[in-house]
Amino acid sequence: MGQKNHAILLIHCTDRKGLISTITHFLFEHNGNIIDLDEHVEKIEGIFFMRVKWELEAFDIPKDQIREAFAEQIATKYDMQWQLHFTDKKPRMAIFVSKASHCLYDILSRHYSGEWQVEIPAIISNHQTHEEVARRYDIPFYHFEVTKENKAEIEAAQMTLLTELNIDFLILARYMQILSDNFINAYPNKIINIHHSFLPAFAGAKPYHRAYERGVKIIGATSHYVTADLDAGPILEQDVAKITHKDTVEDLIRKGKDLEKIVLSRGIWTHLQRKTLVHNNKTVIFD
Amino acid sequence: MGQKNHAILLIHCTDRKGLISTITHFLFEHNGNIIDLDEHVEKIEGIFFMRVKWELEAFDIPKDQIREAFAEQIATKYDMQWQLHFTDKKPRMAIFVSKASHCLYDILSRHYSGEWQVEIPAIISNHQTHEEVARRYDIPFYHFEVTKENKAEIEAAQMTLLTELNIDFLILARYMQILSDNFINAYPNKIINIHHSFLPAFAGAKPYHRAYERGVKIIGATSHYVTADLDAGPILEQDVAKITHKDTVEDLIRKGKDLEKIVLSRGIWTHLQRKTLVHNNKTVIFD
Amino acid sequence: MGQKNHAILLIHCTDRKGLISTITHFLFEHNGNIIDLDEHVEKIEGIFFMRVKWELEAFDIPKDQIREAFAEQIATKYDMQWQLHFTDKKPRMAIFVSKASHCLYDILSRHYSGEWQVEIPAIISNHQTHEEVARRYDIPFYHFEVTKENKAEIEAAQMTLLTELNIDFLILARYMQILSDNFINAYPNKIINIHHSFLPAFAGAKPYHRAYERGVKIIGATSHYVTADLDAGPILEQDVAKITHKDTVEDLIRKGKDLEKIVLSRGIWTHLQRKTLVHNNKTVIFD
Amino acid sequence: MGQKNHAILLIHCTDRKGLISTITHFLFEHNGNIIDLDEHVEKIEGIFFMRVKWELEAFDIPKDQIREAFAEQIATKYDMQWQLHFTDKKPRMAIFVSKASHCLYDILSRHYSGEWQVEIPAIISNHQTHEEVARRYDIPFYHFEVTKENKAEIEAAQMTLLTELNIDFLILARYMQILSDNFINAYPNKIINIHHSFLPAFAGAKPYHRAYERGVKIIGATSHYVTADLDAGPILEQDVAKITHKDTVEDLIRKGKDLEKIVLSRGIWTHLQRKTLVHNNKTVIFD
């Protein structure tokens, strides 16, 4: 779970022969013991994806020189997009929330119990509803009253706060405000939203009401990275539950809450494990 | 499974106090032993739905007078929409199919093994692909070559055939022709289609390709009664399967086939059991 | 959700003709508007089960005389086992927990957010692990140090406490002590346990380790009423998750936690809605 | 799907540094383009598993020398257990069946429609029930009347037949005879059985009856390789369906049939794709 210090490389590039051999040879010759290796080749466009995790103990490149060494010896040559992470650094996560509590509480429970290796320096809300629970969990709470008029201004203040707090990524835990493109573009693949339907069905407002109207026999939830297109970003996790004609809209909302909180938390967990890669508005999840 | 002779009433009407009491009293006073009773009240509009199945042996209204007795004593008074079925009559079902075989074969397997109480007097297709398998199962096969020009004419011929064969309801087992409103309206809630997505997502053509493009993590299938709106009729059954980034369009199609055939067959089974009621483009399924 | 005052009758007895008619007639003649009615007949033994919920507003038997009226007019005659509940009374629930936190936190979150109509006057534990979180949620915490020697004495003290606090039912939210028959028999169908497997597989200790050893492809969780037979009481809810060869025991435990908390909370919710009946060590769940 | 000619290596051995690098380098230096690579390390015992599939077109070791080359250059040195398969060879599969038809029919449907790359030279049964359907699908049917007395003799005759027909692996598609250890040991990881429960629950006879008795809320099915221990071999696939108190034993059997046929067919498909490895009575499924 990140207690020991491991390195993780996430890579994608145009596929060509010998990539796995080259990368594993690089780690092998520097005495890196591979703990996990996953690769995927998307064959239509010919894109190679890889996640490799190795032990740093016997690795003979010093930690602060790995980035440079990998870039020089491999990444540049193959024109790779890549990230390097170390598991001893806890990412810093901010939670945006409006009035609904179930996703927030689930995140706080997991954090408080030590289930996740993450720091939560801020809960940010357009309502004061959750100030009390934030206090109970000793997490700083920031209230921003959002109106039509002050929206741009508030977003600027929020972005300043996020920068000051060194936030790595954001969770929209049922945050009922639409973020501007400007804000979203500042956090590419770093904003995770939960939508209360199995997308692409019922994107937008009131999905449970519309599911009830349509008479579907399953409802769902989707966690995804946020992009400028509403509810259309790369999907991390989806799950569904069966419903019947007996379920009212209130029942859908109640049953859906359980889906939402689990699907969001799974999406966060996968992100925290550095198991997600994004290409072409789709995720590769090395689960 | 219908071997014994039972009667089934399917009812819906405006809800009011005492309906259950009235109906069960009617059966009770005529010495009908209730085997199954399900009821549902849709509270927004106030609609009462009921399915009741009872033994005919000791019932003191003769079978051929039940319809009249129920109409006179109850149905008319409460302005009910209702159907009366007897389980000793096997419904007659026609299968429409194009080239895909998995749904057809699943239906034929169930029929041949005696799993369903149904007769299949016709397989109707716009291709000759399945003539051979129909022959192997001794089911009459009717080939109608459909072109843009002859579509109305072919439909007329098909409707004549269905009438001649006393067909009670139709299955579109991956039939790739769009039926005319005229045809559809002749079989209200009597045409069951399988769509290869979890509707309302990916209605229309090539749902697996679009699911792949969107990067969803679940695929699904939906069986529904056909209405004049494409893929928008009352839903009978839905199910889903999890997929990953590793799945190609071909994998989705392969995994989807298993969903489609099971979801269609479950929809047919429920219809055969007289467990479906339709109101407001939605189903009540007394499963 | 119980805000309005409704009455709920839960009944089971030997099946005979006319039961539904009789009961619904009783409510109808006293001007009770039925909101929900579910019935089930178990045909092998011939047992009739019913749940009926009706509005008290226009009901012409005073609330405090319903029990007597129903007994006299119906229940005694048909030798019924029955319960009468009113939705304006919040049940009082005690939580027993050891060290694992996920089920406890999920319950507390739901309670704190008002999702459930329930009072929680006590968290009872054999460890002090959760004293702090109980304090954060303002719920009285009772620590009982249990040893082999003092077990009977501690149970006696716990039972006294439960009586003093007017506890209606208990949750074992991953409580790692085995209760005595004496204790269990004092709360028939009023102790809900969560077991971390799909029972009857892996009853007893360390189910995830045994699931890993066996190489199963699904794991599960089961909430059930506690009886004197370990992990063998009437099942309320079960759910499963798919796993693969890649999942370690730690992964099973992590994935299982999400199942456990949801399956336990669903079991509690169903119990709170008075939708559960028990006969022959099995539940009827009118969901 | 095996139309093009690819090679597949399935390997397992004690884990050590550099295995992936070594194997991929071997393929790379002989100009083999890797299509799929999956690996897994079981960390408790330290076992390395790998499946790699590559194109044979440009590969510079002739097809009939690959086995020897891989053995000499790699496998012997690392003490590997390994298999080499070519996708242009259709495996030959025999189906053992008793009276139940659903699994047999599902297999035949898939085979007849060309969904699988497999040959079926024999349906073998202790009953004549399916002789007719075998004829309809033009598959040779062999009837062996099994009694307590002639069991050993019949098995010997069956093994002779399987050898004569060059059978690669066997399916027990609800075959209600217990095979002798002698028979089983002749086909290690080459006999696939379907059991009608989520193992290890309800191993042995009449699982649906026992599931009903126990009052479980889910039923399941399991496909597995057969070993000398009844229903205890390495698991290939499992799936479940939710049930309720309303379901009779007959309902469980009906719903279970759909699970069984899909779970068995998925197990067969995975085996056909050479995606299964067995170690320590557990499978690694590279799906």
Side-chain angles (χ1 to χ4, degrees):
Chain A
M1 304 294 256
Q3 290 90 335
K4 283 188 73 177
N5 197 10
H6 298 148
I8 296 170
L9 262 174
L10 287 170
I11 298 164
H12 68 284
C13 63
T14 301
D15 189 31
R16 63 172 85 184
K17 273 188 201 174
L19 281 170
I20 299 171
S21 172
T22 301
I23 296 161
T24 56
H25 186 71
F26 167 79
L27 298 174
F28 181 51
E29 73 180 355
H30 292 293
N31 216 24
N33 192 35
I34 293 174
I35 311 260
D36 278 317
L37 180 148
D38 288 283
E39 61 87 41
H40 171 63
V41 178
E42 195 284 299
K43 280 157 198 166
I44 297 171
E45 290 181 78
I47 310 294
F48 173 83
F49 300 88
M50 191 174 185
R51 177 185 185 270
V52 60
K53 182 175 174 178
W54 71 97
E55 292 179 352
L56 286 174
E57 276 165 35
F59 198 56
D60 66 16
I61 306 178
K63 195 176 154 186
D64 60 357
Q65 294 172 30
I66 298 173
R67 202 171 297 272
E68 197 183 333
F70 184 73
E72 276 180 19
Q73 293 175 44
I74 295 180
T76 308
K77 183 173 162 195
Y78 293 99
D79 199 17
M80 290 173 172
Q81 297 190 49
W82 59 287
Q83 310 164 38
L84 177 67
H85 300 283
F86 298 105
T87 60
D88 63 352
K89 186 193 175 293
K90 283 193 190 181
R92 293 168 67 80
M93 171 173 106
I95 306 170
F96 282 64
V97 67
S98 292
K99 287 185 176 171
S101 63
H102 52 288
C103 290
L104 173 66
Y105 286 24
D106 196 58
I107 293 167
L108 294 178
S109 295
R110 290 173 198 267
H111 179 247
Y112 186 73
S113 70
E115 190 177 319
W116 286 344
Q117 299 294 314
V118 73
E119 291 179 6
I120 306 181
I123 295 172
I124 293 168
S125 185
N126 55 331
H127 295 281
Q128 287 179 293
T129 318
H130 298 304
E131 185 155 22
E132 169 66 16
V133 82
R135 195 188 55 69
R136 286 179 189 244
Y137 279 105
D138 303 321
I139 295 179
F141 182 86
Y142 300 88
H143 176 235
F144 291 89
E145 182 111 26
V146 185
T147 62
K148 271 187 192 170
E149 289 70 32
N150 73 359
K151 205 178 156 175
E153 193 185 322
I154 292 292
E155 278 203 350
Q158 287 171 338
M159 288 175 76
T160 302
L161 176 66
L162 296 175
T163 305
E164 283 171 9
L165 294 173
N166 287 313
I167 295 299
D168 293 303
F169 70 108
L170 321 180
I171 306 304
L172 309 187
R174 300 292 311 269
Y175 184 60
M176 306 309 277
Q177 296 288 317
I178 293 176
L179 301 173
S180 71
D181 291 8
N182 182 39
F183 190 111
I184 290 166
N185 294 333
Y187 292 93
N189 302 326
K190 289 180 176 170
I191 308 175
I192 298 175
N193 183 47
I194 180 71
H195 185 73
H196 37 320
S197 78
F198 48 86
L199 290 173
F202 308 122
K206 292 204 170 287
Y208 293 125
H209 290 79
R210 287 149 65 205
Y212 179 82
E213 281 302 308
R214 178 60 187 92
V216 292
K217 300 298 183 189
I218 47 174
I219 55 168
T222 306
S223 58
H224 63 94
Y225 288 124
V226 174
T227 59
D229 276 347
L230 183 66
D231 297 330
I235 292 172
L236 289 161
E237 281 272 343
Q238 298 190 288
D239 207 351
V240 300
K242 298 222 165 188
I243 58 167
T244 75
H245 62 271
K246 287 191 271 189
D247 290 301
T248 62
V249 171
E250 289 68 36
D251 291 323
L252 303 199
I253 290 169
R254 175 176 54 80
K255 294 182 175 182
K257 280 178 176 177
D258 285 357
L259 286 175
E260 292 165 37
K261 72 186 190 187
I262 298 295
V263 165
L264 176 56
S265 285
R266 274 195 225 140
I268 296 172
W269 189 85
T270 311
H271 180 88
L272 283 172
Q273 300 303 108
R274 314 297 188 180
K275 294 192 165 187
T276 66
L277 275 160
V278 174
H279 175 71
N280 241 354
N281 203 46
K282 294 165 66 169
T283 58
V284 168
I285 308 279
F286 286 129
D287 200 10
Chain B
M1 304 294 257
Q3 290 91 334
K4 284 187 75 177
N5 196 11
H6 298 148
I8 297 169
L9 263 174
L10 288 170
I11 298 163
H12 68 282
C13 62
T14 300
D15 190 29
R16 62 172 83 185
K17 274 188 200 175
L19 282 171
I20 299 171
S21 174
T22 301
I23 297 162
T24 57
H25 186 71
F26 166 80
L27 297 175
F28 182 51
E29 73 180 356
H30 292 293
N31 214 26
N33 191 35
I34 293 174
I35 311 258
D36 278 318
L37 181 148
D38 288 282
E39 61 87 40
H40 170 64
V41 178
E42 194 286 300
K43 280 157 197 165
I44 298 172
E45 291 181 77
I47 310 294
F48 173 83
F49 299 88
M50 188 173 189
R51 176 185 185 271
V52 60
K53 182 175 174 178
W54 72 98
E55 291 178 352
L56 286 174
E57 275 164 34
F59 199 55
D60 65 17
I61 307 178
K63 194 176 154 185
D64 60 358
Q65 294 171 29
I66 298 173
R67 202 171 298 271
E68 196 183 334
F70 184 72
E72 275 180 20
Q73 294 175 42
I74 295 180
T76 309
K77 183 173 164 195
Y78 293 99
D79 199 18
M80 290 173 173
Q81 296 191 49
W82 59 289
Q83 309 162 41
L84 176 67
H85 300 283
F86 298 105
T87 60
D88 63 352
K89 185 194 173 292
K90 284 193 190 181
R92 293 168 67 80
M93 170 172 106
I95 306 171
F96 282 64
V97 67
S98 291
K99 287 186 176 169
S101 63
H102 52 289
C103 290
L104 173 65
Y105 286 24
D106 196 57
I107 292 168
L108 294 179
S109 295
R110 291 173 198 267
H111 180 247
Y112 186 73
S113 69
E115 189 177 319
W116 287 343
Q117 298 294 314
V118 71
E119 289 179 9
I120 306 182
I123 296 173
I124 292 168
S125 184
N126 55 333
H127 293 283
Q128 288 179 293
T129 318
H130 297 304
E131 186 155 21
E132 169 67 15
V133 83
R135 194 188 54 71
R136 286 180 189 243
Y137 280 106
D138 302 324
I139 295 178
F141 182 86
Y142 300 88
H143 176 235
F144 291 89
E145 181 111 24
V146 185
T147 62
K148 272 189 190 166
E149 290 70 32
N150 74 357
K151 205 178 157 176
E153 192 185 323
I154 292 292
E155 278 201 349
Q158 288 171 338
M159 290 175 76
T160 302
L161 176 65
L162 297 174
T163 305
E164 283 170 9
L165 294 172
N166 288 313
I167 295 300
D168 293 302
F169 71 108
L170 321 181
I171 306 304
L172 309 187
R174 301 294 309 271
Y175 184 60
M176 306 309 278
Q177 297 287 318
I178 293 176
L179 301 173
S180 72
D181 291 8
N182 182 41
F183 190 112
I184 290 166
N185 294 333
Y187 292 93
N189 302 326
K190 289 180 177 169
I191 308 175
I192 299 176
N193 183 46
I194 180 70
H195 185 73
H196 36 319
S197 77
F198 46 86
L199 290 174
F202 308 122
K206 291 203 170 287
Y208 293 125
H209 290 79
R210 287 149 65 204
Y212 179 82
E213 280 303 307
R214 178 62 186 91
V216 293
K217 300 298 184 188
I218 45 174
I219 55 168
T222 305
S223 58
H224 64 94
Y225 287 124
V226 174
T227 59
D229 276 348
L230 183 67
D231 298 330
I235 293 172
L236 289 161
E237 281 273 344
Q238 297 189 288
D239 206 351
V240 299
K242 299 222 165 188
I243 57 166
T244 76
H245 63 271
K246 287 191 272 189
D247 289 301
T248 60
V249 171
E250 288 70 35
D251 291 323
L252 304 198
I253 290 170
R254 175 176 54 81
K255 293 182 175 182
K257 280 178 177 177
D258 285 357
L259 287 173
E260 292 164 39
K261 72 186 190 187
I262 298 296
V263 165
L264 176 57
S265 286
R266 274 196 224 140
I268 296 171
W269 189 85
T270 311
H271 181 88
L272 282 172
Q273 300 304 108
R274 314 296 188 183
K275 294 194 164 184
T276 66
L277 274 161
V278 174
H279 175 71
N280 241 354
N281 204 46
K282 294 165 66 170
T283 59
V284 168
I285 308 279
F286 286 130
D287 201 10
Chain C
M1 302 293 258
Q3 289 91 333
K4 286 188 73 178
N5 196 11
H6 299 148
I8 297 170
L9 262 174
L10 287 170
I11 298 164
H12 67 283
C13 62
T14 300
D15 190 30
R16 63 173 83 185
K17 274 188 199 175
L19 282 169
I20 300 171
S21 173
T22 301
I23 296 162
T24 57
H25 186 71
F26 166 80
L27 297 175
F28 182 51
E29 73 179 357
H30 292 293
N31 215 24
N33 192 33
I34 293 174
I35 311 259
D36 277 317
L37 181 148
D38 288 283
E39 61 87 41
H40 171 63
V41 178
E42 194 285 299
K43 280 157 197 167
I44 297 171
E45 291 181 76
I47 309 295
F48 173 82
F49 299 87
M50 190 174 186
R51 177 185 185 270
V52 60
K53 181 175 175 179
W54 72 97
E55 291 179 353
L56 287 174
E57 275 164 36
F59 198 57
D60 65 16
I61 307 179
K63 194 177 154 185
D64 59 359
Q65 294 170 29
I66 298 174
R67 202 171 299 271
E68 198 184 333
F70 184 73
E72 276 179 20
Q73 295 173 43
I74 295 180
T76 308
K77 182 173 164 197
Y78 293 98
D79 198 18
M80 289 173 174
Q81 296 190 50
W82 59 288
Q83 310 162 41
L84 177 66
H85 300 282
F86 298 105
T87 60
D88 63 352
K89 186 194 174 294
K90 282 193 191 182
R92 293 169 67 80
M93 171 173 105
I95 306 171
F96 282 63
V97 67
S98 292
K99 288 185 175 170
S101 63
H102 52 289
C103 290
L104 173 65
Y105 285 24
D106 196 57
I107 293 167
L108 294 179
S109 295
R110 290 173 199 267
H111 179 247
Y112 186 73
S113 71
E115 188 176 318
W116 287 343
Q117 298 293 313
V118 72
E119 290 180 8
I120 306 181
I123 296 173
I124 292 168
S125 186
N126 56 331
H127 294 281
Q128 287 178 294
T129 318
H130 298 304
E131 186 154 21
E132 169 65 16
V133 83
R135 195 188 55 69
R136 286 178 189 244
Y137 279 106
D138 302 322
I139 295 179
F141 182 87
Y142 300 89
H143 176 234
F144 291 89
E145 181 110 26
V146 185
T147 63
K148 272 188 191 168
E149 289 69 31
N150 73 358
K151 205 180 154 172
E153 192 185 322
I154 292 292
E155 278 201 352
Q158 287 171 340
M159 288 174 77
T160 302
L161 176 66
L162 296 175
T163 305
E164 282 171 8
L165 294 173
N166 287 314
I167 296 299
D168 293 303
F169 70 108
L170 322 180
I171 306 304
L172 309 187
R174 298 295 308 271
Y175 184 60
M176 306 309 278
Q177 296 287 317
I178 292 176
L179 301 173
S180 71
D181 290 8
N182 183 39
F183 190 112
I184 291 166
N185 293 334
Y187 291 93
N189 302 327
K190 288 180 177 171
I191 309 176
I192 299 176
N193 184 47
I194 180 71
H195 184 72
H196 36 319
S197 77
F198 47 87
L199 290 173
F202 309 122
K206 291 203 170 288
Y208 292 125
H209 290 78
R210 288 150 65 206
Y212 179 81
E213 281 302 308
R214 178 61 186 92
V216 292
K217 300 299 184 188
I218 46 174
I219 55 169
T222 305
S223 58
H224 63 95
Y225 288 125
V226 174
T227 59
D229 276 347
L230 183 67
D231 298 331
I235 293 172
L236 289 161
E237 280 274 344
Q238 298 189 287
D239 207 351
V240 299
K242 299 221 165 188
I243 57 166
T244 75
H245 63 270
K246 287 191 272 188
D247 290 301
T248 62
V249 171
E250 290 68 37
D251 291 323
L252 303 198
I253 290 169
R254 174 177 54 81
K255 292 182 176 182
K257 281 178 176 176
D258 285 358
L259 286 174
E260 292 165 37
K261 72 186 191 188
I262 298 295
V263 165
L264 176 57
S265 286
R266 274 196 224 140
I268 296 171
W269 188 84
T270 311
H271 180 87
L272 283 172
Q273 300 304 107
R274 314 297 187 182
K275 294 193 164 186
T276 66
L277 274 161
V278 174
H279 175 72
N280 239 356
N281 203 47
K282 293 165 66 170
T283 58
V284 168
I285 308 278
F286 286 130
D287 199 9
Chain D
M1 303 293 257
Q3 289 90 335
K4 284 187 74 179
N5 197 11
H6 297 148
I8 296 171
L9 261 174
L10 287 170
I11 299 164
H12 68 284
C13 62
T14 301
D15 190 29
R16 63 172 83 184
K17 273 189 201 174
L19 282 170
I20 300 171
S21 173
T22 301
I23 296 161
T24 57
H25 185 72
F26 166 80
L27 298 175
F28 182 50
E29 73 179 355
H30 291 293
N31 214 25
N33 191 35
I34 294 174
I35 312 259
D36 278 319
L37 181 148
D38 287 284
E39 61 87 40
H40 171 62
V41 177
E42 195 285 299
K43 279 158 197 165
I44 297 172
E45 291 181 75
I47 310 294
F48 173 83
F49 299 87
M50 190 174 187
R51 177 186 185 270
V52 59
K53 182 176 174 178
W54 72 97
E55 292 178 352
L56 286 175
E57 275 164 35
F59 199 54
D60 64 17
I61 306 178
K63 196 177 153 186
D64 59 358
Q65 294 171 28
I66 298 173
R67 202 171 297 272
E68 196 184 334
F70 184 72
E72 275 179 20
Q73 294 175 41
I74 295 179
T76 308
K77 183 174 163 194
Y78 292 99
D79 199 18
M80 290 172 173
Q81 296 191 49
W82 59 288
Q83 308 163 42
L84 177 67
H85 300 283
F86 298 103
T87 59
D88 62 352
K89 184 190 174 297
K90 284 193 190 180
R92 293 168 68 79
M93 170 172 107
I95 305 172
F96 282 63
V97 67
S98 292
K99 287 185 177 170
S101 64
H102 52 290
C103 290
L104 173 65
Y105 286 23
D106 196 56
I107 292 168
L108 294 179
S109 294
R110 290 173 199 266
H111 180 246
Y112 186 73
S113 71
E115 189 177 318
W116 287 344
Q117 298 294 313
V118 72
E119 289 179 9
I120 306 182
I123 296 173
I124 292 168
S125 184
N126 54 333
H127 294 282
Q128 287 179 293
T129 318
H130 297 305
E131 186 156 19
E132 168 66 15
V133 83
R135 195 188 54 70
R136 286 180 190 244
Y137 279 107
D138 302 323
I139 295 180
F141 182 85
Y142 299 89
H143 175 236
F144 291 89
E145 181 111 24
V146 185
T147 63
K148 271 188 190 166
E149 288 70 32
N150 72 359
K151 206 179 155 173
E153 194 184 323
I154 292 291
E155 277 201 352
Q158 288 172 338
M159 288 174 76
T160 302
L161 176 66
L162 297 174
T163 305
E164 282 171 9
L165 295 173
N166 288 313
I167 295 300
D168 293 303
F169 70 109
L170 321 181
I171 306 304
L172 308 187
R174 300 294 309 272
Y175 184 60
M176 306 310 277
Q177 296 287 318
I178 293 177
L179 301 173
S180 71
D181 290 8
N182 182 40
F183 190 111
I184 291 167
N185 293 333
Y187 291 94
N189 302 326
K190 289 180 177 171
I191 308 175
I192 299 176
N193 184 47
I194 180 71
H195 184 73
H196 36 319
S197 78
F198 47 87
L199 291 173
F202 308 123
K206 292 203 170 286
Y208 293 125
H209 290 79
R210 288 150 64 206
Y212 179 82
E213 280 303 307
R214 178 61 187 93
V216 293
K217 300 299 184 188
I218 45 174
I219 54 168
T222 305
S223 58
H224 63 94
Y225 287 125
V226 174
T227 59
D229 276 348
L230 184 66
D231 296 332
I235 293 172
L236 289 161
E237 280 273 342
Q238 297 190 289
D239 207 351
V240 300
K242 299 223 165 187
I243 58 167
T244 76
H245 63 272
K246 286 190 273 188
D247 289 300
T248 61
V249 172
E250 289 69 36
D251 290 323
L252 303 198
I253 291 169
R254 175 177 53 82
K255 293 183 176 184
K257 279 178 178 177
D258 285 358
L259 286 174
E260 292 164 39
K261 72 186 190 188
I262 298 296
V263 165
L264 176 56
S265 286
R266 275 196 222 138
I268 296 171
W269 189 85
T270 311
H271 180 88
L272 284 172
Q273 299 305 107
R274 314 298 188 181
K275 294 193 165 186
T276 66
L277 274 161
V278 174
H279 176 72
N280 241 354
N281 204 45
K282 294 164 65 170
T283 58
V284 167
I285 308 279
F286 285 129
D287 201 10

